[in-house]
Amino acid sequence: MNTDALSAETGAKPIMTARNVDVFYGKKQAIDNVSLDIPENQITALIGPSGCGKSTFLRCFNRMNDTIQICRVKGDIKFAGQDIYDPKVDVVALRSRIGMVFQKANPFPKSIFENVAYGPKIHSLAESKDHLEDIVITSLKRAGLYDEVSDRLDEPGTSLSGGQQQRLCIARAIAVDPQIILMDEPCSALDPIATAIIEELMDSMKEKYTIVIVTHSMQQAARVSQQTAFFHLGELVESGDTQAIFTNPEKERTQNYISGRIG
Amino acid sequence: MPDYLLSTSPAMAKRHARHTRFQWYGRIAIAISISFMLLMFTAIFFRGIGAFQKTMIAVDVQFTESQIDPSGTRDENSLKQANYKPILLQGLQQVIPGATERRDRNNLYKLLSNGATFDLGERVARKPELIGTSQRVWVAASSEVDLYVKGKIDPDVPEDLRRLKDRDIAWIETLRASGQVKKQFNKTFFTSGDSRAPEMAGILSAALGSFFSLLICFLIAFPLGILTAVYLEEYARKSRLTDLIEVNINNLAAVPSIVFGLLGLAIFLNFFNLPRSTPLVGGMVLALMTLPTIIIASRSILRSIPQATRDAALGLGASKTQTTFHHVVPLAMPGMLTGTILGMARALGETAPLLMIGMVAFIVDVPKGVTDVATALPVQIFLWADSPEKGFVELTSAAIMVLLVFLILMNVFAVYLRKKLERRW
């Protein structure tokens, strides 16, 4: 299988591995036998037409699917060698290692500062008030938002523009110092300029974090990612080096999708 | 401009007519509802406004020691209970000397309220140095006199159809001519409990009874309702059991309130032996009644909190409980409080369940706590409306006004809370 070959090809060590994953919503199967490796400190893009299961698959990585009562996940997903669906695994700890940014920016109805400080607070990451402030400022800087909001940290997070809100959500995810950041179509509600800013940001973030991004836009996948996985009708059709997928796909379905014939 | 934009085809005219017609139906419906409401409010207002004034009669009283305190001990209780009837009568006879026969004397004395002697007793007990002096004191007039002075008794009605006879009216006019009749603010109405005599009856006992009942109702129903709603909405997995609970809560909300009263009678009074006729039990019964309303309102508020808020917190690694209590409940709180207050406003107006647990008793004393016997505002209205004396008619309307004021205050408070707690960001 080409997924096994992936790590060999690129030389990057996988931080997350999924093997034979099936996801069901009630009786309906949304993901069918998907295996994929997520290489460390790279950006992996999950692409595919609407309803292909890419978001569902992404939400398996931090067990956000647990919140949907009818959703069942089968198969084997390992993070740093540990099966994350093991009953002994603490979901809270898992999600502090694997952050998430959602499709629609969802800042808390609190101040900008409080938005970023909330994660460190509940995980007791800050030793003092100064330290907390430090974490907040560092996170905002990493998310490229600090210069724009430094003089109004106590204003509501929802008063920011859409793109700023999404970067605030990224800062909030960064603040708990995760290893992986899952992004579920983070730019689908943003204009091209805000999108470009976030894409730039992602590029600089991959030094420190592993990013998995679900995107509708093939151009975005081509621009930001090193690895791409193409989903269609709940199956993983093809995955591998982004350049290879976009220039020389192995499967016909992939070829059809990237050339705009399906999806 | 092209012509077809201006042309009015018959179909178009019909469409416009339908639009206009419907608007008018709506306006007429609103006008009818508002006029009914205004009719009700003005009727209550004009009937009840009189109760806020009460007629007083001035009597020149000689506080003779031999009559009030023959033993000379100035004992407080004996001063209170002394017989003040003769000295009040003497005072009246100074103005109306004609009434000397026994029957006339009785009739003359009946111009004053029964409470007048208690009133004098209280004054003398408070200020014993009055004894031996001569004072002009204003005491309450009887209910019939009060109604006459307020113009609610028509002297043209044949004499044998009214309680106040021509002679009585002549006396009142004599008193009035000498400036010994006046109307003043009816403090009694706000400071005393119920009484058999309309001029001595007040709303305080019932108002406090209602207040204590609602306090108990809030203390029980609010935490129980909120916890139930939060658990069912945020924690419980959907199953046949939760469906069953949901159906039952919805059914309970529709159960007639008197059934809750019977339940309270059977369980709280007869099984647990809690004190009868008290705000404690009243509040518990009202809480049972309000609980489904609070749960349903709170659940719908919780359901309206966007999933994105929960996802944001969960995605950061907040636990279920942290997510719920740091983010979801604070957002839902204004709505849940509003639902609770509106539920309690309904409980405030509830009569039937309180009748079942004995809060319908005749209660003169003002309750000091939740375990003192009391009545409640709507029950008091019911009791007064049921009384034969004419003087209770205006008291009934006045009590309705008090109840309405409380209801309006609660609703205003609900709006204020929502505005205050609801952060617009």
Side-chain angles (χ1 to χ4, degrees), chain A residues 59 62 64 66-67 69 91-92 95-96 98-100 102 104 106 108-111 115 118-119 122-123 154-158 172-173 176, chain B residues 235-239 242 306-327 330-331 423-425:
Chain A
R59 289 164 65 93
N62 67 344
M64 278 304 276
D66 290 14
T67 60
Q69 194 181 327
V91 185
V92 167
R95 290 187 192 142
S96 75
I98 304 175
M100 190 157 197
F102 296 85
K104 195 172 167 291
N106 53 358
F108 297 126
K110 297 176 192 277
S111 71
N115 260 287
Y118 181 71
I122 57 169
H123 296 298
D154 51 355
E155 274 179 36
T158 43
R172 183 175 66 187
V176 288
Chain B
Y235 288 84
R237 293 179 75 83
K238 296 266 170 291
S239 67
T242 54
Q307 184 60 33
T309 305
R310 295 183 185 89
D311 282 348
L314 290 172
L316 274 178
S319 67
K320 182 97 209 162
T321 306
Q322 283 170 330
T323 304
T324 304
F325 287 97
H326 292 176
H327 300 286
L331 281 177
R423 287 194 253 171
R424 307 199 177 278
W425 56 8

Side-chain angles (χ1 to χ4, degrees), chain A residues 181-195:
Chain A
I181 297 175
L182 309 175
M183 295 185 169
D184 191 355
E185 296 177 34
C187 303
S188 63
L190 302 182
D191 64 57
I193 295 169
T195 303

Side-chain angles (χ1 to χ4, degrees), chain B residues 214-424:
Chain B
L214 284 188
L215 189 70
I216 294 289
C217 172
F218 178 80
L219 290 179
I220 296 173
F222 182 66
L224 279 184
I226 301 295
L227 287 175
T228 308
V230 168
Y231 181 80
L232 285 178
E233 214 44 58
E234 302 293 322
Y235 288 84
R237 293 179 75 83
K238 296 266 170 291
S239 67
R240 228 172 254 174
L241 183 66
T242 54
D243 285 348
L244 189 73
I245 291 173
E246 171 138 24
V247 169
N248 273 301
I249 291 172
N250 289 339
N251 283 341
L252 278 178
V255 166
S257 55
I258 195 160
V259 176
F260 287 106
L262 281 169
L263 185 81
L265 174 67
I267 294 178
F268 298 146
L269 296 185
N270 293 345
F271 187 75
F272 288 112
N273 277 319
L274 290 172
R276 201 167 286 268
S277 306
T278 55
L280 176 67
V281 179
M284 287 163 79
V285 169
L286 292 179
L288 287 182
M289 205 198 80
T290 323
L291 206 47
T293 319
I294 296 181
I295 294 172
I296 292 170
S298 303
R299 288 187 71 178
S300 78
I301 299 288
L302 287 170
R303 232 170 284 161
S304 73
I305 305 290
Q307 184 60 33
T309 305
R310 295 183 185 89
D311 282 348
L314 290 172
L316 274 178
S319 67
K320 182 97 209 162
T321 306
Q322 283 170 330
T323 304
T324 304
F325 287 97
H326 292 176
H327 300 286
V328 179
V329 171
L331 281 177
M333 199 38 102
M336 295 199 289
L337 275 175
T338 311
T340 304
I341 292 171
L342 294 183
M344 299 230 310
R346 246 190 57 193
L348 173 66
E350 209 43 78
T351 322
L354 301 181
L355 302 184
M356 288 292 116
I357 53 133
M359 280 186 89
V360 68
F362 172 71
I363 303 207
V364 179
D365 292 328
V366 173
K368 291 187 183 63
V370 293
T371 52
D372 287 348
V373 287
T375 181
L377 281 171
V379 181
Q380 188 71 74
I381 291 167
F382 168 75
L383 283 172
W384 283 346
D386 216 25
S387 299
E389 282 94 341
K390 227 181 149 192
F392 280 119
V393 173
E394 59 180 21
L395 283 184
T396 307
S397 292
I400 293 173
M401 283 160 74
V402 171
L403 181 64
L404 287 178
V405 166
F406 275 114
L407 283 175
I408 292 169
L409 282 181
M410 284 175 80
N411 285 315
V412 168
F413 184 60
V415 173
Y416 167 78
L417 264 187
R418 198 172 46 212
K419 286 259 178 312
K420 172 135 201 241
L421 293 177
E422 204 171 56
R423 287 194 253 171
R424 307 199 177 278

